[in-house]
Amino acid sequence: MKYLVAFVFSICFFITGCGAVPYTKEEGRPIYSLTDAFGIKVDFYAKPCRIVSLNNSIDEILLDLVPSERIAAITYLADDPTLCCAGDKVKLVKNRVYGGNFEGLVALNPDLVFTASFNGSGYADSLRAAGLKVVTCQTPNNIKCILQYIREVAAAVGEKERGEILVGTLQKDMESIRAKVVAAKEDKLVRVLALSTMGVMGPAGTFNDLCYYAGIRNALDGYNVPAQAVLSEELLLEINPDVIFMPSWDYTKKNDLDNFAKEILENPLYKNVNAVKNKKVYKLHDQYLYSTNQYTIKAVEEMAKLCYPELF
């Protein structure tokens, strides 16, 4: 009997997802509306059934929110495992899109197109001028904004409840990791320094939040160091981190990341830096570290495991 119930539930999910309008509506009145990142009010008269995403992070959210049949296309970046966290889920969606290909977008006949705020309002306006319904989501810069980001995407596709499940699971998993570390380490939390090909990760923003949930401390806390600032030799010696995180992906394709780590490990000036002395210089998966959705939990997990291998 329980298998029959599960089967009926799954059928209902897919049918209400797109095959039939899931709400009754008064003629000419939207069933729900929202205001996007640029203050544009968007009305919906049914749940969108041909969704196109022009942002890799939104690709990943959609794949956990709606059946693949409701997704007309995701970004070409979804096929790059060094950028996308969704794995084989992306194979469920046939079409790929490039932001500048307006003709290709229109040909897909989407009833909703997602963009991100970093593309600018002019870009979204140009899509609307081509006759497309567009929702622009605010690009997150901390964990609180990531949770809201997931909710915004969920609201746009008419799946608020499923969005809350994603948010609730993410919050629960992050809190669980922090509780486990803090219970074991109390006030002896590892101090870390994170480097990217563009500079250091400063004491503000998403990285600081990730450190909090991983039960570690950003070694730059208390320092007036902006994000992506150049790390001086003097500062590295002064902060003396227990662990150094290195990038795993270089979008410029100009840096030798293996040599990047080697230069730090073999620099005689750094021989007494804790991370160097104890050979605790690790690469992080950048697709996790820069995630702005439910997959940010993977960054929290990875950092905690690298800093406290005995606990995980």
Side-chain angles (χ1 to χ4, degrees):
M1 181 64 181
K2 64 180 180 180
Y3 297 108
L4 177 60
V5 172
F7 175 74
V8 170
F9 176 81
S10 65
I11 290 295
C12 289
F13 174 79
F14 280 92
I15 289 176
T16 59
C18 203
V21 177
Y23 305 97
T24 59
K25 64 182 181 67
E26 296 181 38
E27 189 66 30
R29 299 183 64 179
I31 55 174
Y32 63 94
S33 302
L34 58 85
T35 302
D36 77 359
F38 292 124
I40 303 297
K41 184 172 179 283
V42 186
D43 295 325
F44 292 86
Y45 296 87
K47 287 185 180 183
C49 295
R50 293 193 56 77
I51 305 164
V52 169
S53 166
L54 297 177
N55 178 266
N56 185 46
S57 181
I58 296 175
D59 292 345
E60 295 170 342
I61 297 174
L62 288 173
L63 287 166
D64 280 352
L65 273 182
V66 299
S68 58
E69 289 84 354
R70 289 180 61 187
I71 306 174
I74 53 181
T75 70
Y76 68 97
L77 299 174
D79 296 311
D80 186 342
T82 67
L83 300 178
C84 181
C85 303
D88 287 342
K89 291 178 184 179
V90 303
K91 296 177 182 178
L92 298 173
V93 179
K94 177 182 177 181
N95 297 312
R96 301 291 181 267
V97 285
Y98 298 79
N101 183 5
F102 285 6
E103 290 183 1
L105 284 173
V106 173
L108 288 167
N109 191 31
D111 52 9
L112 175 60
V113 178
F114 278 107
T115 66
S117 59
F118 64 77
N119 292 126
S121 59
Y123 180 70
D125 289 342
S126 64
L127 294 175
R128 291 190 187 93
L132 303 177
K133 178 176 287 189
V134 180
V135 167
T136 301
C137 295
Q138 182 64 48
T139 304
N141 57 12
N142 57 49
I143 294 295
K144 181 179 179 181
C145 290
I146 287 174
L147 301 179
Q148 181 57 28
Y149 189 61
I150 295 170
R151 290 186 172 110
E152 288 173 359
V153 175
V157 298
E159 300 293 347
K160 283 187 176 182
E161 290 186 9
R162 293 187 65 81
E164 286 303 321
I165 291 173
L166 278 184
V167 166
T169 300
L170 175 58
Q171 289 178 308
K172 179 182 176 181
D173 290 347
M174 290 191 300
E175 291 287 1
S176 176
I177 292 172
R178 175 170 173 78
K180 183 173 184 176
V181 171
V182 172
K185 298 297 179 180
E186 296 181 354
D187 59 346
K188 299 177 182 178
L189 302 182
V190 167
R191 296 171 64 254
V192 306
L193 173 69
L195 304 178
S196 76
T197 55
M198 297 175 286
V200 299
M201 295 189 181
T206 304
F207 180 70
N208 243 32
D209 288 353
L210 295 176
C211 288
Y212 172 82
Y213 286 109
I216 58 183
R217 292 196 174 115
N218 187 344
L220 291 175
D221 261 348
Y223 286 83
N224 185 23
V225 179
Q228 300 181 8
V230 175
L231 178 69
S232 67
E233 292 179 347
E234 293 78 12
L235 181 58
L236 179 55
L237 293 171
E238 182 180 342
I239 63 176
N240 190 21
D242 301 308
V243 170
I244 296 176
F245 290 138
M246 306 293 291
S248 63
W249 178 71
D250 175 25
Y251 79 98
T252 69
K253 308 296 183 184
K254 296 179 180 178
N255 296 289
D256 182 343
L257 297 183
D258 289 330
N259 194 51
F260 190 13
K262 187 177 179 181
E263 287 176 358
I264 289 179
L265 284 168
E266 296 183 358
N267 189 329
L269 288 175
Y270 301 151
K271 64 181 181 180
N272 292 320
V273 172
N274 287 338
V276 175
K277 182 170 54 180
N278 297 315
K279 291 184 169 49
K280 293 188 175 182
V281 177
Y282 306 121
K283 279 187 181 180
L284 290 178
H285 286 86
D286 283 341
Q287 66 268 44
Y288 303 158
L289 186 60
Y290 295 109
S291 174
T292 54
N293 55 38
Q294 68 274 21
Y295 288 103
T296 196
I297 184 61
K298 290 184 174 290
V300 175
E301 290 172 340
E302 184 170 41
M303 293 195 300
K305 288 176 181 178
L306 288 171
C307 291
Y308 307 107
E310 71 278 13
L311 296 180
F312 296 93

